[in-house]
Amino acid sequence: MNLAPTDRGADGTVVPDREKDARDLLNLTALALGARDIASGVTPTLEKLVRDTAAGGSAYFQADRRLLAFRVRAATGEMPQTPGMQAVAAHGLPGDTPLMVALQGSASPLFYDDTRLSPDTLGFPELGVASLAAAPVRDAQGQLLGAFLMHTFEAHVWQREEATLFSMISSTIAALAGRLVAEEEVRVTRESALRALGLALEARDGETQGHTDRVTSLAVRFADRLGWTEQQREALRWGAYLHDIGKIAIPDAVLLKPGLLDPEERASMCSHVQAGVRFAHALQFLPPGALSVIQDHHERWDGSGYPRRVAAQAISLQGRLFALCDVYDALTSPRPYKAAWTHERAISEIRTQAGRQFDPALVEPFVELTETVSTGPGQDA
Amino acid sequence: MNLAPTDRGADGTVVPDREKDARDLLNLTALALGARDIASGVTPTLEKLVRDTAAGGSAYFQADRRLLAFRVRAATGEMPQTPGMQAVAAHGLPGDTPLMVALQGSASPLFYDDTRLSPDTLGFPELGVASLAAAPVRDAQGQLLGAFLMHTFEAHVWQREEATLFSMISSTIAALAGRLVAEEEVRVTRESALRALGLALEARDGETQGHTDRVTSLAVRFADRLGWTEQQREALRWGAYLHDIGKIAIPDAVLLKPGLLDPEERASMCSHVQAGVRFAHALQFLPPGALSVIQDHHERWDGSGYPRRVAAQAISLQGRLFALCDVYDALTSPRPYKAAWTHERAISEIRTQAGRQFDPALVEPFVELTETVSTGPGQDA
């Protein structure tokens, strides 16, 4: 991949070790492919590109979801010091830039030896870019994920070896970007599924959303304090967010009844746990820890809860932890049949219930958590 | 990467073109990275591996979601002709196979020169595998996605160059598998979000699910017949599945009322369109075509529908197409206030409504579709 034509082996001088060079690139490729983000994965390969070609600099631009702009996600080498280029660095290239439109329609990389001579590179001479190579980066469905560029400050005729190296690196970037975009899409899809279900529940029971947001936040902070891993906290967060989702299935006459429920209505209301577990099972991505919250959030330490009426360690830790958060928020919030309790009164009640309703080992850590929360960071500074 | 030590340049014989060899591998890597499935992406690289190393054969095993087994997804070269190996080809390797347990705990590839000498390769001598190399394939979070194996039929001491090539190819497989698994996860997550919302709606209105499944299937077949692309059909399918999702927000007194609705109740019922659009907006992955179905499925060609009361082409094509399917299914199904109409009576009514309720250009193609459906493929054979 070395471009210098120093292949003078016969007279005893150094022959460039092209095999080693190619192997280095393979190693860089392997490194890039395993990366956790675009910048760390792509930067070492961009550095190699700048080292081994005439390019003064190179950058990867990622498309935003609606292709309104392409933003710099990784860059190496020198960028032209022009106001226009500073604007590009800050705001990206608009999706209707002629170059981006050309890349949209192109299956392979495009090479411009002189940016003044092609309508595709309109605007680039003013940026200080004299010659340019640009590759589209697509996902498996052919959708444009981004654009990979290298440039020179003086006019330059791109060589075959430079084009080969550029193409190879662009395929590595495509693989990495494709995986990262798909992983991000998984996250967005999961969150939006939770959000849609949350909205559906809220539409039935207007009171719910504030409660859901508060207990979710409280539960996650509790888990954080207890040293749970990120994965465990994430499962808890999903479970907390969905803990009452089964209420969607409860008839209005019960769900919205202002007074006390009679035994039959109460049984109907309690069935929200099983209904919630059923909906949650349909969300195949929910980890067991999330299901545990939904299943166990009305169980009690002494076995007097529902629906399984299990006691102590037979209740999942997620369920025991969440029950504290859920009850604390219910006590300190106003309800049609009661005013909001003060923090002190709620904590006193929760302490009384240690070993009855609640896991006694969790009560004091929970009290400490709420003391931290009610003081609030910086409030006494 | 050529293993034969034929580096005899000085005496005039052929020097293996190692640079070209490495470049070939890079090209194979680029090809693999862009593949749409594991087998087509991985097979050419496996072939190179078998060509350039002592391996008699090579295979990629993919983990099922709960790691109960690893199943062959791509294989090349010769497999041992033993009954044990035939079982592996058919059923995969159990997740508790010692080799798989060893890979679970390993960050890098494992090399076994003699499978009789390591507890990790217990069972492999009986399969006819004398020496073995195995690499774990992980996603970015470190979860095991699969295992990449190569084997020989005679004992063999794996060489450094073979190990390098094997490691490089395993990183390519990891990148491809990581992307494909993430893309599959996106699909599963989307489907399960739809399923959970569908269950939530069904819990409120038991009648709904049969209707939803039938109109979704009918709409997709209609679009197929009209030559819509796969992406367009997918958007339609999601929209059809969710078209009544807003009914979750309608009070029981209206939603479940057995008799006719008074004007106020009717307005409440009609609000399910806006509520549905709101829920659907939260599902960020829904394409515009899906939202169009939800938004427009009660509009009418002559402008007398709701909620926007737009006419003709101002109604999305998705909405116009779906309205036909929705009404046809309502007519041919029993309701509390009417028996199911026959196919003939429903079609006659739909033809009467061409240019009133329905897009006249769609009515005859729809009639043809339902004639095909009601005859059914193969029923008159």
Side-chain angles (χ1 to χ4, degrees):
Chain A
M1 300 299 121
N2 224 315
L3 296 169
T6 52
D7 199 355
R8 292 169 294 162
D11 61 17
T13 50
V14 179
V15 178
D17 187 348
R18 292 177 171 218
E19 188 203 350
K20 184 185 168 300
D21 214 42
R23 204 165 49 221
D24 284 353
L25 182 57
L26 277 171
N27 285 336
L28 281 176
T29 303
L31 208 72
L33 293 177
R36 276 178 169 255
D37 61 84
I38 278 282
S40 72
V42 163
T43 305
T45 35
L46 299 194
E47 280 164 1
K48 181 167 179 63
L49 192 69
V50 170
R51 220 157 45 227
D52 291 358
T53 71
S58 176
Y60 176 65
F61 289 76
Q62 186 158 299
D64 74 12
R65 301 187 107 227
R66 292 150 304 159
L67 292 183
L68 297 181
F70 290 77
R71 291 179 201 286
V72 178
R73 292 295 294 269
T76 189
E78 267 183 88
M79 293 294 146
Q81 296 301 314
T82 56
M85 190 55 95
Q86 281 157 15
V88 169
H91 308 297
L93 280 164
D96 58 359
T97 307
L99 179 70
M100 294 306 174
V101 175
L103 284 178
Q104 289 269 16
S106 174
S108 50
L110 302 172
F111 295 88
Y112 305 97
D113 295 342
D114 186 337
T115 56
R116 292 167 306 179
L117 303 181
S118 168
D120 290 355
T121 48
L122 194 76
F124 278 87
E126 292 71 24
L127 292 176
V129 170
S131 78
L132 185 68
V137 171
R138 299 181 188 281
D139 67 12
Q141 284 73 48
Q143 283 214 301
L144 203 61
L145 298 177
F148 171 45
L149 272 57
M150 66 174 178
H151 62 265
T152 66
F153 302 113
E154 308 291 335
H156 171 71
V157 178
W158 294 107
Q159 302 298 305
R160 197 169 155 276
E161 290 86 349
E162 292 174 312
T164 305
L165 183 58
F166 185 70
S167 304
M168 283 172 179
I169 291 181
S170 79
S171 82
T172 302
I173 295 181
L176 175 60
R179 173 170 64 76
L180 293 174
V181 165
E183 287 175 354
E184 173 62 20
E185 193 70 16
V186 172
R187 276 189 291 275
V188 168
T189 304
R190 287 176 178 174
E191 292 298 326
S192 69
L194 298 187
R195 174 102 190 106
L197 280 165
L199 277 175
L201 176 57
E202 194 182 354
R204 298 231 47 224
D205 175 6
E207 204 275 316
T208 307
Q209 197 56 32
H211 169 70
T212 301
D213 290 345
R214 285 191 307 269
V215 291
T216 301
S217 150
L218 191 59
V220 170
R221 275 183 288 127
F222 195 7
D224 194 28
R225 213 180 161 83
L226 296 175
W228 290 23
T229 67
E230 195 188 325
Q231 252 183 344
Q232 291 168 327
R233 277 179 285 146
E234 191 72 350
L236 181 73
R237 186 168 75 81
W238 288 340
Y241 194 82
L242 295 176
H243 75 283
D244 269 346
I245 195 67
K247 286 189 176 169
I248 286 182
I250 307 302
D252 289 349
V254 175
L255 185 65
L256 307 176
K257 185 173 177 180
L260 285 177
L261 303 180
D262 68 30
E264 198 181 323
E265 290 166 341
R266 197 171 146 66
S268 163
M269 186 60 125
C270 291
S271 76
H272 85 272
V273 172
Q274 290 95 326
V277 168
R278 207 155 47 80
F279 299 155
H281 266 298
L283 293 175
Q284 292 178 40
F285 61 83
L286 282 188
L291 288 169
S292 295
V293 174
I294 302 168
Q295 174 74 63
D296 287 349
H297 74 284
H298 284 293
E299 301 293 349
R300 288 162 169 250
W301 182 256
D302 61 9
S304 67
Y306 67 87
R308 297 190 298 144
R309 302 184 65 82
V310 287
Q313 312 289 344
I315 310 166
S316 65
L317 179 57
Q318 289 86 355
R320 281 177 272 146
L321 179 155
F322 184 76
L324 273 162
C325 304
D326 197 26
V327 169
Y328 174 79
D329 189 74
L331 293 178
T332 54
S333 303
R335 286 284 187 275
Y337 48 87
K338 72 161 188 67
W341 290 16
T342 61
H343 166 71
E344 290 69 25
R345 188 175 166 201
I347 288 300
S348 157
E349 168 65 14
I350 282 174
R351 281 189 165 132
T352 308
Q353 292 295 333
R356 297 177 191 171
Q357 185 166 1
F358 304 119
D359 180 350
L362 288 176
V363 167
E364 283 315 308
F366 180 75
V367 172
E368 281 165 33
L369 171 77
T370 55
E371 305 282 324
T372 320
V373 172
S374 57
T375 313
Q379 281 195 9
D380 48 2
Chain B
M1 300 301 123
N2 223 314
L3 296 169
T6 52
D7 200 355
R8 290 170 295 162
D11 61 18
T13 52
V14 180
V15 178
D17 187 348
R18 293 176 171 220
E19 187 201 351
K20 184 184 167 300
D21 213 44
R23 203 165 51 222
D24 283 353
L25 181 57
L26 277 170
N27 284 335
L28 281 176
T29 303
L31 209 71
L33 293 177
R36 277 179 167 253
D37 61 84
I38 279 281
S40 71
V42 164
T43 304
T45 35
L46 299 195
E47 280 163 2
K48 182 168 178 61
L49 192 69
V50 170
R51 221 159 43 230
D52 291 358
T53 70
S58 175
Y60 176 64
F61 289 76
Q62 186 159 298
D64 74 12
R65 302 187 107 226
R66 291 150 303 156
L67 293 183
L68 296 181
F70 291 77
R71 290 176 202 289
V72 178
R73 293 295 294 267
T76 189
E78 266 182 89
M79 293 294 146
Q81 297 302 312
T82 55
M85 191 55 97
Q86 281 158 16
V88 169
H91 309 296
L93 280 165
D96 58 1
T97 307
L99 179 70
M100 294 307 174
V101 175
L103 284 177
Q104 290 269 17
S106 174
S108 50
L110 303 172
F111 295 88
Y112 305 96
D113 295 342
D114 186 337
T115 56
R116 292 169 304 182
L117 302 182
S118 168
D120 290 356
T121 48
L122 193 77
F124 278 86
E126 293 71 25
L127 292 176
V129 169
S131 78
L132 185 67
V137 171
R138 300 182 187 280
D139 66 13
Q141 284 72 47
Q143 283 216 298
L144 202 62
L145 298 176
F148 171 44
L149 272 57
M150 67 174 177
H151 62 265
T152 66
F153 302 112
E154 307 292 334
H156 171 70
V157 178
W158 294 108
Q159 302 297 305
R160 198 167 154 279
E161 290 87 349
E162 293 174 310
T164 305
L165 183 59
F166 184 71
S167 303
M168 282 171 180
I169 291 181
S170 79
S171 82
T172 302
I173 295 181
L176 175 60
R179 173 170 65 74
L180 293 174
V181 164
E183 287 175 356
E184 174 62 20
E185 192 69 17
V186 172
R187 277 189 291 275
V188 168
T189 304
R190 286 176 177 173
E191 291 298 326
S192 70
L194 297 186
R195 175 101 189 107
L197 279 164
L199 277 176
L201 177 57
E202 194 182 354
R204 299 230 48 221
D205 177 6
E207 205 273 316
T208 308
Q209 197 56 30
H211 169 71
T212 301
D213 290 345
R214 285 191 305 271
V215 291
T216 301
S217 150
L218 190 59
V220 170
R221 274 182 288 128
F222 195 7
D224 193 29
R225 213 180 160 84
L226 296 175
W228 289 23
T229 66
E230 195 189 324
Q231 250 183 344
Q232 291 168 326
R233 278 180 284 145
E234 191 70 351
L236 182 73
R237 186 168 74 81
W238 289 340
Y241 193 82
L242 295 177
H243 75 283
D244 269 346
I245 196 67
K247 286 188 176 169
I248 286 182
I250 308 302
D252 288 348
V254 176
L255 184 65
L256 306 176
K257 184 173 177 179
L260 285 177
L261 301 180
D262 69 30
E264 197 181 322
E265 290 165 340
R266 197 172 145 66
S268 163
M269 186 61 125
C270 291
S271 76
H272 84 273
V273 172
Q274 291 95 325
V277 168
R278 206 154 47 80
F279 299 155
H281 266 297
L283 293 175
Q284 291 178 42
F285 61 84
L286 282 188
L291 288 169
S292 295
V293 174
I294 302 167
Q295 174 75 61
D296 286 349
H297 74 283
H298 284 293
E299 301 293 350
R300 288 161 168 252
W301 183 256
D302 62 10
S304 67
Y306 68 88
R308 296 190 298 144
R309 302 184 65 83
V310 289
Q313 312 289 343
I315 310 166
S316 64
L317 179 56
Q318 289 86 353
R320 282 177 271 146
L321 179 154
F322 184 76
L324 274 161
C325 304
D326 197 25
V327 169
Y328 174 80
D329 188 74
L331 292 177
T332 55
S333 303
R335 287 283 188 274
Y337 49 87
K338 75 162 186 64
W341 290 17
T342 63
H343 166 72
E344 291 69 25
R345 189 177 166 202
I347 289 301
S348 157
E349 168 64 14
I350 281 173
R351 279 188 166 131
T352 309
Q353 292 295 334
R356 296 177 191 169
Q357 186 166 0
F358 303 119
D359 180 349
L362 288 177
V363 167
E364 284 315 308
F366 180 75
V367 172
E368 281 166 33
L369 170 77
T370 56
E371 305 280 324
T372 320
V373 172
S374 57
T375 312
Q379 283 195 5
D380 50 2

